[in-house]
Amino acid sequence: MTGRRPTSADVAREAGVSRATVSYVLNDAPGERIAQPTRERVLAAAARLGYAPSLAGRTLANGQSDIVLLAMPDAPSGELTSRFVDAVTRSLAAQGLTLVVHFDVPSAPRLPRLAAMLSVRAVLSLFPLPDADNAALRRMGIRVVPAGTESDGLATSALLRRQGRMQVEHLVAAGHTRLAYALPADPRLSVFADPRHDGVRQACAERDLPVPATFTVPDDPSAVVPAVRALLADAPQVTAICAYNDEVALAVLHGLRELAVHVPTRMALIGVDGIPLSAYSAPPLTTITVAPAATARHLARAAVARLAGDRATPVPIEDVLHLTPRATT
Amino acid sequence: MTGRRPTSADVAREAGVSRATVSYVLNDAPGERIAQPTRERVLAAAARLGYAPSLAGRTLANGQSDIVLLAMPDAPSGELTSRFVDAVTRSLAAQGLTLVVHFDVPSAPRLPRLAAMLSVRAVLSLFPLPDADNAALRRMGIRVVPAGTESDGLATSALLRRQGRMQVEHLVAAGHTRLAYALPADPRLSVFADPRHDGVRQACAERDLPVPATFTVPDDPSAVVPAVRALLADAPQVTAICAYNDEVALAVLHGLRELAVHVPTRMALIGVDGIPLSAYSAPPLTTITVAPAATARHLARAAVARLAGDRATPVPIEDVLHLTPRATT
DNA sequence: CGGTGGTGGTTACGCGCGTAACCATCACTG
DNA sequence: CAGTGATGGTTACGCGCGTAACCACCACCG
C-alpha cells in the first residue's frame, strides 16, 4: 500500500496486453494499429492504477525531455514576471511541454549544467545569456530561444528601451529639455534598468538634448531626501525626471515634497509600470502603463512561436504600452 | 561539431577505462577502490569533454532524482516569494539537490503528475496541498514536506495569522474596539489573505470585541472611493481598519482622503509588509514590517530541515516581524 | 610453491520507456 | 486452395547510468 509508482509494465499486466501496446495507446502513436476495445482496456487500467509515465524513462528513450527551461535573471521578480511565467506555462502546456523555471541565483547549479542534466528541449530566456553559457549550450546541441530579437523589436530589452523613449517623448512634448534619470538602488535590477535608461538616452540624443543627469534613489526612506537634494544641487537646470519605475518615482516625489519643490511646475516627474499605487499619490503620478497580462502574453507568444521555429511574429509592441497622463507632468 | 551531449561512455573512452570506473570516480563512490592516477585521468577527460551526467539516466538507475519540487500557489508573487525561492535554492544546492519551481496555474500539468514524472525526491510546499494531491502523492510514495507545521508556529499560515494578530494588538492598545478588515480584490490572493484575516478575527474574539466588518478594495482606482464610502455607511461605528497589506492600505488611505475622513483621528489604518512606499504616503502608513530576506531564510531553513528529517527547528518567528508605528494610527 | 588476501579494475544487469522489426490470424482473391 | 493484404498485436533492443558480482594480478606468508 506504500506503493511504489506504477510503471507501464503494471498497466500492461493489469490490462492483459504487452508493454508495447500500452506505450502505443498512451502516446496515441501516429500509425496506431490498436483496436478500440483494447485501447479502452489499456486506458481504463492506466486510470485505475493512477499511472503517470516516468519522465526519466521517456527522456532516456527518445533522447530529450519535454522540459523547457526558462532562465530568469537574478532580479527581484514582480507581477509582470509571475504573469509571464504563467503565460508561458500555459502556452507550452498546450503543446505538451512542461516549463521549469531556473532562477539564476549565484549558488544555484549553473544553467548549462542543469539544462544538460534535464535533457531539456530548449532553453528560453528573456535576456541574452552570458556568452559562456551560450557557447556551452550550443556545444551540447541545446537550443537557446530568446523571447524575441532585436531586429523585430520583440526583445525584452527593446520593449524596455521603448518605455524609456516614451517617457522622453512625453516630457519633450510638454516642453522639457533638461532631463534627469532616477535609477533604483538594487544592483540586481540593472537588467531592467539599463535598457530603460538606454532608451531615455537614445531619445535625448536623437533630439540633440543634453545627456540626462543620473542619480540613484536609495532603498532607505530616510536617505531619499538627501539624494534628491544632491540632484537639485548638482544639476539645477533639470526640469523633469524620468524614473526607472513607479516605485522609484514615488520615492522621488516624496523627496521633492519634503524639499518643497513643486510638482510639476518646478519639476516634472514620470514613472513606468502603472502600478495601482501610482494613482494614489499626491499629486497622482504620470506614468507609462504596462499592461502586465497583455505584455506577458505577448512575450510568451513570441517565445513559444520562436520555439516552434516560427519566424513570423506579428504582434506589434505598441499595444501593451500607453501613456497615462496624470498630475506630475 | 553540432555535438550531441557527451555520455559517461565518451568519458570512459577518452580516459581509456571502463564506464563503471568513470561512474565510480565521478560519484566518489563510498568504498571506492580506484587508484589516484586513474581518478585524475577520468576527471581530466570529463572536464575536457564538458561532461554533465544525464539526470534521466541517473534517475532511472537509482529510482529517484535529485530534484525537489516547490509547489507555489496560483497567486501573484512578490518580493518575499522570490527571496524564498532564492533561499531554498541555495540551501538545497548545498545538499546536492536541485530546486524546481512549479507554479500551480490552472492549465499546468497537475502537481502529482509532474512530481511523478520527475521522480522527485520530495515535494516542498508553503501551504497545505489539496487533499486529493496529498493522497495521490502519498499513494505513489512521494514525500510531501510542509514549510512548517501548525504546532510549532512555523507554518506559513501561522506566520500570516500572527501578522493579523499584531495589527489588532496595536490598534487595541491605542484604544480601538470597533475594527474593519480590508480585503484585496484578486481572488488568487486569498491563500495569503484568509490567514491574515483569520488572525485578526481570532485576536478580536479573544478580546471579546465584535467581529470586524469586512470590505473588498477594488483594483480599479476609481472604484476605491465608493467602496470606502460604502464601508463608512454600513459600519459607522468602526474607528480603525486593518488592511490585508500595504497596497490595500494605501488605496484605502486614498479613499479616506478623498472623502475627507481624517486619519488617524476619525479613522486609524494599519497595513502589513512594510513596503518602501508605505513610508511615502501622506500621512505615512503604520504597518507590520516583514523582513523579507530574514523571513525567506527562516522559511527555507525550516523547510530544508524538515526535508532532512530534522524535527527540531529552533528559529522563533518573532524575529522577522515587527511593528513600524507611523502616522496613520 | 600452494594458498591467501588485497588492489584495481571490468563485465553484466536492470531501471522505464519508445519503437523498429517481426509474427499470427483471418478475410478475401485469382 | 495457395497467395495476398490487412489487422492487431508481440518480441527485442537501446537510451545513460549505478552498482553488484566478478576477475586478473601481485605481494606475501606458511
Side-chain angles (χ1 to χ4, degrees), chain B residues 250-290:
Chain B
L250 291 173
V252 170
L253 183 58
H254 172 255
L256 292 170
R257 194 190 313 128
E258 293 289 302
L259 294 169
V261 175
H262 191 261
V263 176
T265 53
R266 165 66 184 91
M267 186 68 78
L269 180 62
I270 184 169
V272 181
D273 274 353
I275 63 174
L277 292 181
S278 66
Y280 304 139
S281 62
L285 183 69
T286 294
T287 188
I288 307 295
T289 297
V290 179

Coordinates of all heavy atoms in Angstrom, one line a residue, chain B residues 250-290:
Chain B
L250 N -2.9 51.6 1.3 CA -2.6 52.9 0.7 C -3.8 53.2 -0.2 O -4.2 54.4 -0.4 CB -1.3 52.8 -0.1 CG -0.1 52.7 0.8 CD1 1.2 52.5 -0.1 CD2 0.1 54.0 1.6
A251 N -4.5 52.2 -0.8 CA -5.7 52.5 -1.6 C -6.8 53.0 -0.6 O -7.4 54.0 -1.0 CB -6.1 51.2 -2.3
V252 N -6.9 52.4 0.5 CA -7.9 52.8 1.5 C -7.6 54.3 1.9 O -8.5 55.1 2.0 CB -8.0 51.9 2.7 CG1 -8.9 52.5 3.8 CG2 -8.5 50.5 2.2
L253 N -6.4 54.5 2.2 CA -5.9 55.8 2.6 C -6.3 56.9 1.6 O -6.8 58.0 2.0 CB -4.4 55.8 2.9 CG -3.8 57.1 3.4 CD1 -4.5 57.5 4.7 CD2 -2.3 57.0 3.6
H254 N -6.1 56.5 0.3 CA -6.5 57.4 -0.7 C -8.0 57.7 -0.7 O -8.5 58.8 -0.8 CB -6.1 56.9 -2.1 CG -6.6 57.6 -3.2 ND1 -7.7 57.2 -4.0 CD2 -6.3 58.8 -3.8 CE1 -8.0 58.1 -5.0 NE2 -7.1 59.1 -4.8
G255 N -8.8 56.6 -0.5 CA -10.2 56.8 -0.4 C -10.7 57.7 0.7 O -11.5 58.5 0.6
L256 N -10.0 57.5 1.9 CA -10.4 58.3 3.0 C -10.1 59.7 2.8 O -10.8 60.6 3.2 CB -9.6 57.7 4.3 CG -10.1 56.3 4.8 CD1 -9.1 55.8 5.8 CD2 -11.5 56.4 5.3
R257 N -8.9 60.0 2.2 CA -8.5 61.3 1.9 C -9.5 62.0 1.0 O -10.0 63.2 1.3 CB -7.1 61.4 1.3 CG -6.5 62.7 1.3 CD -5.2 62.8 0.5 NE -4.3 61.7 0.7 CZ -3.8 60.9 -0.2 NH1 -4.1 61.0 -1.5 NH2 -3.0 59.9 0.2
E258 N -9.9 61.3 0.0 CA -10.9 61.9 -1.0 C -12.2 62.2 -0.3 O -12.9 63.1 -0.7 CB -11.2 60.9 -2.1 CG -10.0 60.6 -3.0 CD -9.7 61.9 -3.9 OE1 -10.6 62.2 -4.7 OE2 -8.6 62.4 -3.8
L259 N -12.6 61.4 0.7 CA -13.9 61.5 1.4 C -13.7 62.5 2.6 O -14.6 62.6 3.4 CB -14.4 60.2 1.9 CG -14.8 59.2 0.7 CD1 -15.1 57.8 1.2 CD2 -16.0 59.8 0.0
A260 N -12.5 63.0 2.7 CA -12.2 64.0 3.8 C -12.4 63.4 5.2 O -12.9 64.0 6.1 CB -13.1 65.2 3.6
V261 N -12.1 62.1 5.3 CA -12.1 61.4 6.6 C -10.7 61.6 7.2 O -9.8 61.1 6.6 CB -12.5 60.0 6.5 CG1 -12.4 59.3 7.8 CG2 -13.9 59.8 5.9
H262 N -10.6 62.2 8.3 CA -9.3 62.4 8.8 C -8.7 61.2 9.4 O -9.3 60.4 10.1 CB -9.3 63.5 9.9 CG -7.9 64.0 10.3 ND1 -7.2 63.5 11.4 CD2 -7.0 64.8 9.6 CE1 -6.0 64.1 11.4 NE2 -5.9 64.9 10.4
V263 N -7.4 61.0 9.0 CA -6.6 59.8 9.5 C -5.5 60.4 10.4 O -4.8 61.3 9.9 CB -6.0 59.0 8.4 CG1 -5.1 57.9 8.9 CG2 -7.1 58.5 7.5
P264 N -5.2 60.0 11.6 CA -5.9 58.8 12.3 C -7.0 59.2 13.2 O -7.6 58.3 13.8 CB -4.8 58.2 13.1 CG -4.0 59.4 13.5 CD -4.1 60.5 12.4
T265 N -7.4 60.5 13.3 CA -8.4 60.9 14.4 C -9.7 60.3 14.2 O -10.3 59.7 15.1 CB -8.5 62.4 14.5 OG1 -8.8 62.9 13.2 CG2 -7.2 63.0 15.0
R266 N -10.3 60.4 13.0 CA -11.6 59.7 12.7 C -11.5 58.3 12.4 O -12.3 57.4 12.8 CB -12.3 60.5 11.6 CG -13.5 59.8 10.9 CD -14.7 59.6 11.9 NE -15.8 58.9 11.3 CZ -15.9 57.6 11.4 NH1 -15.0 56.9 12.1 NH2 -16.9 57.0 10.8
M267 N -10.4 57.9 11.7 CA -10.2 56.5 11.3 C -8.7 56.2 11.3 O -7.9 56.9 10.7 CB -10.7 56.3 9.9 CG -10.7 54.9 9.4 SD -11.9 53.8 10.2 CE -13.4 54.3 9.4
A268 N -8.4 55.1 12.1 CA -7.0 54.6 12.1 C -6.8 53.6 11.0 O -7.8 53.0 10.5 CB -6.6 54.1 13.4
L269 N -5.6 53.3 10.6 CA -5.3 52.4 9.5 C -4.0 51.8 9.7 O -3.0 52.4 10.0 CB -5.3 53.2 8.2 CG -5.1 52.5 6.9 CD1 -6.2 51.5 6.6 CD2 -5.1 53.5 5.7
I270 N -3.9 50.4 9.4 CA -2.7 49.8 9.6 C -2.5 48.7 8.5 O -3.5 48.0 8.1 CB -2.5 49.1 11.0 CG1 -1.1 48.5 11.1 CG2 -3.6 48.1 11.2 CD1 -0.8 48.0 12.6
G271 N -1.3 48.6 7.9 CA -1.1 47.6 6.8 C -0.2 46.5 7.3 O 0.0 46.3 8.5
V272 N 0.3 45.7 6.3 CA 1.2 44.7 6.6 C 2.2 44.6 5.4 O 1.8 44.8 4.3 CB 0.6 43.2 6.7 CG1 1.6 42.2 7.0 CG2 -0.5 43.2 7.7
D273 N 3.5 44.4 5.7 CA 4.5 44.2 4.7 C 5.7 45.1 4.9 O 6.8 44.7 4.8 CB 4.1 44.3 3.3 CG 3.5 43.0 2.8 OD1 3.6 42.0 3.5 OD2 3.0 43.0 1.6
G274 N 5.4 46.4 5.1 CA 6.4 47.4 5.2 C 7.1 47.6 3.9 O 8.3 47.7 3.8
I275 N 6.3 47.7 2.8 CA 6.9 48.0 1.5 C 7.5 49.5 1.6 O 7.0 50.3 2.4 CB 5.9 47.9 0.4 CG1 4.8 48.9 0.5 CG2 5.4 46.5 0.3 CD1 3.8 49.0 -0.7
P276 N 8.5 49.7 0.8 CA 9.1 51.1 0.8 C 8.1 52.2 0.7 O 8.2 53.2 1.4 CB 10.1 51.0 -0.4 CG 10.4 49.6 -0.6 CD 9.2 48.8 -0.2
L277 N 7.1 52.0 -0.2 CA 6.2 53.1 -0.5 C 5.3 53.4 0.7 O 4.8 54.5 0.8 CB 5.3 52.7 -1.6 CG 5.9 52.6 -3.0 CD1 4.9 52.2 -4.1 CD2 6.6 53.9 -3.3
S278 N 5.3 52.5 1.7 CA 4.4 52.8 2.9 C 5.0 54.0 3.7 O 4.3 54.6 4.4 CB 4.3 51.6 3.8 OG 5.6 51.3 4.3
A279 N 6.3 54.3 3.5 CA 6.9 55.4 4.2 C 6.6 56.7 3.5 O 6.7 57.8 4.1 CB 8.4 55.2 4.3
Y280 N 6.1 56.7 2.3 CA 6.0 57.9 1.5 C 4.6 58.5 1.4 O 4.4 59.5 0.7 CB 6.5 57.7 0.0 CG 8.0 57.2 0.0 CD1 8.3 56.2 -0.8 CD2 8.9 57.7 0.9 CE1 9.6 55.7 -0.9 CE2 10.2 57.2 0.9 CZ 10.6 56.2 0.0 OH 11.8 55.8 0.0
S281 N 3.6 57.8 1.9 CA 2.2 58.3 1.8 C 2.0 59.5 2.7 O 2.9 59.8 3.6 CB 1.2 57.2 2.1 OG 1.4 56.8 3.5
A282 N 0.9 60.2 2.5 CA 0.6 61.3 3.4 C -0.7 61.0 4.1 O -1.7 61.0 3.4 CB 0.5 62.6 2.6
P283 N -0.8 60.8 5.4 CA 0.3 60.6 6.3 C 1.0 59.2 6.1 O 0.4 58.3 5.6 CB -0.3 60.6 7.7 CG -1.7 60.2 7.4 CD -2.1 60.6 6.0
P284 N 2.3 59.1 6.5 CA 3.0 57.8 6.4 C 2.2 56.7 7.1 O 1.6 56.9 8.1 CB 4.3 58.1 7.0 CG 4.5 59.6 6.9 CD 3.1 60.1 7.0
L285 N 2.3 55.5 6.5 CA 1.5 54.4 7.0 C 2.1 53.6 8.1 O 3.2 53.2 8.0 CB 1.2 53.5 5.8 CG 0.3 52.2 6.0 CD1 -1.1 52.7 6.2 CD2 0.5 51.3 4.8
T286 N 1.3 53.4 9.2 CA 1.7 52.4 10.2 C 1.5 51.0 9.6 O 0.5 50.7 8.9 CB 0.8 52.6 11.4 OG1 1.0 53.8 12.0 CG2 1.1 51.5 12.4
T287 N 2.5 50.1 9.9 CA 2.4 48.8 9.3 C 3.2 47.8 10.1 O 3.9 48.1 11.0 CB 3.0 48.9 7.8 OG1 2.7 47.6 7.2 CG2 4.5 49.2 7.8
I288 N 2.9 46.5 9.8 CA 3.7 45.4 10.4 C 4.7 45.1 9.4 O 4.4 44.6 8.3 CB 2.8 44.2 10.6 CG1 1.5 44.5 11.4 CG2 3.6 43.0 11.2 CD1 1.8 45.0 12.8
T289 N 6.0 45.4 9.7 CA 7.0 45.2 8.7 C 7.5 43.7 8.7 O 7.8 43.1 9.8 CB 8.2 46.1 9.0 OG1 7.8 47.5 8.9 CG2 9.4 45.8 8.1
V290 N 7.6 43.2 7.5 CA 8.1 41.8 7.4 C 9.5 41.9 6.8 O 9.6 42.4 5.7 CB 7.2 41.0 6.5 CG1 7.7 39.6 6.3 CG2 5.7 41.0 7.0

